[in-house]
Amino acid sequence: MTIGEFDLIKTFFTDIGPVSGIALGVGDDCALLDIPAAHQLATSVDTLVAGVHFPADGETHAANPALIAQKALRCNLSDLAAVGAQPLAFTLALTLPQVDEGWLAEFARGLRACAEEFSIALIGGDTTRGAQRVITVQVLGAVPPAQALLRSGARPGDIIYVSGTLGDARAALDVIYRPSAQLSDEQHDWLRRYYLPSPRLTLGIALRGVASAAIDISDGLAADLGHILDHSGVGATINPSLLPLSPAMLTHPQALNFALHGGDDYELCFTAPPRLRTAVENIATQLQLPITAIGEIIAEKTLLQHTGEGGMTVLTRAGYQHF
Ligand code: ADP
Ligand code: MG
């Protein structure tokens, strides 16, 4: 006999993450949160669907449930990072075709590890039956009024920056969908980047008052920078030869394409006026995180890239889209 809905919740989804600041967690009709005084509540929700966002069971490359849980929470935390919010708590809505206790135990183990690493508690959710596994995580965070980093603040002359390195997560997709028996060290690195992206939470908070606009790169640099441009009513020139690549990507034949158009990196792309260049550099030093200037905001509403020969061409914004 399989366990029922309420035992399932009790067994796997209570006591995940630290309880400080949580007035009431899992179990009642609502959770109750103490929000830090004089802050705005930041909230975002994201859904992962089996067969779309991660391989379904039965596919040869079926994903480890602990890693699926990690990715679900990390992608959401990345949205908090992108607005400069500090994480408070999260909820989990889970649709399952059946109760597979082995899968649930592994999923909960990954979720717990991630919740502890980022000091964020699971305070509630919903559990339902459905044809496919669907995992919806909602995060709640706090940010002081008027300090959230928005997509809409970029101005001509601002410098465009990205954190970390780009393209690694896209390289992982080829490893996942064309599995081989023996993985190289690089391939292991790419898989880690794909399943365990690093939400840049401390960077987002440090960029309050410094960045004029910010976004996290989930669909690819060109597509996501494009959102900043649209929301800000500006354009940009970027220099592809400046894009930060990991050592493993340097020799990849598709490195540039993946860095521009591959998704899932969850680095931050942000803009800041040139007078704050030193402030940005100091943040990079303090956080020991590479931050690379890759281009500039321009008034004309186009996205251009430098060519090797000193010219400019239009850069397609192609990235991942569901529809
Ligand atoms: P209601 O019917 O009042 O909406 P539920 O029966 O759906 O409540 O859930 C009971 C309690 O368990 C609630 O506190 C809810 O937030 C929590 N819960 C349900 N599913 C999950 C889950 N997957 N993870 C965490 N908490 C959950
Ligand atoms: Mg109720």
Side-chain angles (χ1 to χ4, degrees), residues 230-261:
D230 289 343
H231 285 249
S232 301
V234 294
T237 62
I238 66 160
N239 191 339
S241 69
L242 297 178
L243 296 184
L245 301 177
S246 67
M249 284 306 285
L250 281 176
T251 54
H252 196 294
Q254 293 266 52
L256 194 55
N257 181 27
F258 287 2
L260 284 170
H261 304 292

Side-chain angles (χ1 to χ4, degrees), residues 237-241 294 304-313:
T237 62
I238 66 160
N239 191 339
S241 69
I294 59 158
L304 300 171
Q305 59 179 336
H306 290 268
T307 64
E309 295 79 44
M312 295 274 195
T313 56

Side-chain angles (χ1 to χ4, degrees), residues 94-160:
L94 210 50
T95 297
L96 304 167
Q98 75 277 321
V99 174
D100 176 341
E101 289 189 49
W103 190 93
L104 278 164
E106 272 299 285
F107 181 86
R109 186 177 65 80
L111 198 65
R112 183 182 302 279
C114 189
E116 281 168 11
E117 181 177 342
F118 294 98
S119 221
I120 185 170
L122 176 62
I123 57 166
D126 199 19
T127 306
T128 50
R129 182 197 293 268
Q132 276 295 351
R133 265 188 206 117
V134 181
I135 300 153
T136 299
V137 171
Q138 180 189 33
V139 280
L140 303 163
V143 63
Q147 289 198 36
L149 313 174
L150 307 181
R151 299 176 177 189
S152 52
R155 296 292 171 261
D158 285 357
I159 300 171
I160 303 166

